[in-house]
Amino acid sequence: MRELMTAYARRAPVRSVAVVGNAPLRPNAVRAHRIDTADLVIRMNSFVLDVPGAEPCQGTHVDVVVWNRITRATEFVFHDYRERLYALVEPMRLHGNPEMWPTSWPADLGLVPVSNRAFTRPLNELLGIPWREERLAPTTGTLATYLAVSLFPDAEITVTGLSYVDAPEQTAWQHQWGDWCPVGREHRIAQESRLLRSWDTDGRIRFVR
């Protein structure tokens, strides 16, 4: 997976990675520049990009899309899809959820499944949650961050747009493109917040607000 992501990166070797979530962000030109100048930019699920004429906020560059089968596609998700790597995360397949193929996907979309054995299971154990007994799964945001930390441990990793880092008690969250939805019952975002904060403290990632 490291070699594949590197093949889609702007520069190699990958010395800087930006992981961009979907939480609402205020305009910030410094943040947008930091994202767009990273060697590898990972976005997720229903992401949005800056558009011409708007204040810089979350940047415009995408190399890798980490997303799941129930993603509600924005206008940006499949734009230029032939130029990006699509990494499909399916943590609930560990609990027997069936495979499904959304009709919104391009017919010729190429994708790579993210291994539950290599990434989801170790992350569940790291979170210290009873994932087998309670049918739990990490959020796409934490899983995408774990991919970056695991695959590029020597890179400078910027993480932004994950609201639960600062608000682990929330029961519903808003996306940057406007909608609200409840936090899935399969998530334990307090534990995810604690893990990401520890990585920020020890320098594995830099969380940017």
Side-chain angles (χ1 to χ4, degrees):
M1 182 68 82
R2 175 187 171 97
E3 290 76 13
L4 185 57
M5 284 196 180
T6 299
Y8 281 83
R10 178 180 297 176
R11 288 175 293 273
V14 173
R15 295 190 174 93
S16 59
V17 180
V19 180
V20 187
N22 299 321
L25 295 170
R26 296 179 181 274
N28 185 316
V30 174
R31 183 206 305 121
H33 178 75
R34 185 179 181 90
I35 292 168
D36 279 346
T37 56
D39 295 336
L40 180 70
V41 179
I42 301 172
R43 298 184 190 263
M44 64 197 73
N45 289 342
S46 306
F47 67 86
V48 298
L49 302 174
D50 291 343
V51 296
E55 291 186 78
C57 183
Q58 60 264 315
T60 62
H61 192 70
V62 189
D63 297 307
V64 178
V65 178
V66 177
W67 97 125
N68 58 54
R69 293 180 187 270
I70 61 172
T71 293
R72 296 173 63 184
T74 65
E75 63 182 286
F76 306 100
V77 172
F78 295 120
H79 181 70
D80 283 341
Y81 65 90
R82 293 185 179 92
E83 304 301 319
R84 304 168 178 168
L85 173 64
Y86 284 77
L88 181 65
V89 292
E90 302 182 281
M92 292 304 290
R93 293 293 295 277
L94 287 171
H95 306 302
N97 280 26
E99 184 177 73
M100 55 176 286
W101 293 92
T103 57
S104 62
W105 292 4
D108 61 343
L109 177 68
L111 61 88
V112 175
V114 174
S115 169
N116 282 328
R117 176 177 295 179
F119 297 104
T120 309
R121 286 183 178 179
L123 176 56
N124 281 336
E125 297 297 334
L126 196 58
L127 289 168
I129 56 177
W131 61 275
R132 290 185 179 88
E133 298 83 355
E134 299 183 19
R135 295 174 56 86
L136 304 179
T139 62
T140 303
T142 299
L143 192 44
T145 305
Y146 183 68
L147 282 170
V149 169
S150 300
L151 297 174
F152 302 99
D154 298 323
E156 181 181 9
I157 300 174
T158 298
V159 180
T160 191
L162 303 179
S163 63
Y164 53 88
V165 171
D166 291 324
E169 74 289 343
Q170 65 187 302
T171 57
W173 43 31
Q174 185 180 17
H175 296 132
Q176 178 76 330
W177 62 294
D179 76 321
W180 286 82
C181 67
V183 176
R185 67 178 64 184
E186 71 274 16
H187 301 317
R188 294 294 180 267
I189 58 175
Q191 286 86 339
E192 295 189 27
S193 172
R194 189 177 305 118
L195 178 64
L196 294 176
R197 283 176 172 272
S198 73
W199 287 349
D200 185 45
T201 299
D202 67 21
R204 293 190 195 183
I205 65 173
R206 178 181 176 186
F207 191 74
V208 175
R209 292 165 176 83

